[in-house]
Amino acid sequence: YINQPHGLLCEWPLQQSKLKKKIYLLLIERSNLEDSCTLQFTSHKEVKEAEKLELRVSSVAIPLGLKIPVEITRSRHKLHDIFQIPPAQPVILFLSRLNYVKGLDYLIPALGKIKNKNFTFILAGNGSSEYEAEVSELLKTNNLEHCTHRPGFVTGEMKDILLQGSDIFVLTSHSESFS
């Protein structure tokens, strides 16, 4: 995020290829950044990465605020009950918006390679109908339909049960700024 002199924050729109980013930075964004009062980042790692740009503007790292959910007793048991998963079976959770940048093209084929193992994959989140169709095809191609549950977008207690009751949380990503 860029802290502009007039106090507004705007997201740095650099989610394209490296070449496009370099061109955009050179032609447009460098002057915007140089005219800023302060650059605000969400981690010290991002500050270090921005130092490579050799900008003449101060920067600050302000971590994202977190709300720690209330612990759900027997969350694993509740999760297994909701999805009718055998008690000893491990649960692998992916919870995010469904978008190509989230790396499901890495994760699903990797899980397909261990399909002879006994696990349940929960794919929570939603996205465009086109991308969800691609995900369905990936699951089918990698023979994971039989062990995958897709609850869609989840919030509140259900989200907490998924996060607290799963054995493994996986968020593969081509680019993750809020890791």
Side-chain angles (χ1 to χ4, degrees), residues 104-117:
L104 287 170
D105 57 326
Y106 294 140
L107 178 60
I108 292 172
L111 292 176
K113 291 180 181 180
I114 58 170
K115 61 184 166 226
N116 295 333
K117 304 273 194 266

Side-chain angles (χ1 to χ4, degrees), residues 4 22 25 27-28 32 45 47 50 53 63 65 93 114 128 139 144 166:
Q4 299 288 347
K22 286 181 181 181
L25 182 64
L27 297 177
I28 298 170
N32 287 339
K45 182 180 178 193
V47 171
L53 300 175
L93 171 66
I114 58 170
S128 71
L139 291 168
L144 292 171
S166 296

Side-chain angles (χ1 to χ4, degrees), residues 15-26:
Q15 299 175 4
Q16 296 85 26
S17 71
K18 284 186 179 183
L19 179 59
K20 287 181 183 177
K21 288 180 183 181
K22 286 181 181 181
I23 292 170
Y24 179 81
L25 182 64
L26 180 65

Side-chain angles (χ1 to χ4, degrees), residues 1-2 9 11-12 39-50 59-66 176-179:
Y1 286 92
I2 303 161
L9 294 176
E11 191 169 345
W12 195 356
L39 300 180
Q40 176 187 335
F41 299 93
T42 58
S43 71
H44 294 290
K45 182 180 178 193
E46 288 178 343
V47 171
K48 287 287 184 196
E49 290 173 0
S59 61
V60 62
I62 301 175
L64 298 171
L66 297 175
E176 190 62 45
S177 60
F178 299 111
S179 53

Side-chain angles (χ1 to χ4, degrees), residues 4 43 49 63 95 122 141 145 156:
Q4 299 288 347
S43 71
E49 290 173 0
L95 189 150
I122 298 179
T141 301
E145 293 172 304

Side-chain angles (χ1 to χ4, degrees), residues 79 83 92-99 102 104 107 121-126 149 151-166 168-173 176 178:
L79 176 66
F83 293 99
I92 300 170
L93 171 66
F94 175 93
L95 189 150
S96 180
R97 68 186 168 94
L98 300 186
N99 185 283
K102 297 300 182 177
L104 287 170
L107 178 60
F121 178 44
I122 298 179
L123 179 60
N126 62 1
H149 294 276
F153 182 79
V154 294
T155 61
E157 185 178 21
M158 182 60 172
K159 181 178 178 181
D160 293 341
I161 288 171
L162 287 171
L163 288 168
Q164 294 178 35
S166 296
I168 300 171
F169 173 76
V170 182
L171 181 59
T172 49
S173 181
E176 190 62 45
F178 299 111

Side-chain angles (χ1 to χ4, degrees), residues 74 76-81 83-91 118 120 165 167:
R74 302 188 56 187
R76 187 172 197 283
H77 178 76
K78 288 177 182 178
L79 176 66
H80 283 250
D81 277 353
F83 293 99
Q84 299 177 4
I85 302 168
Q89 193 168 67
V91 175
N118 194 21
T120 293
D167 298 290

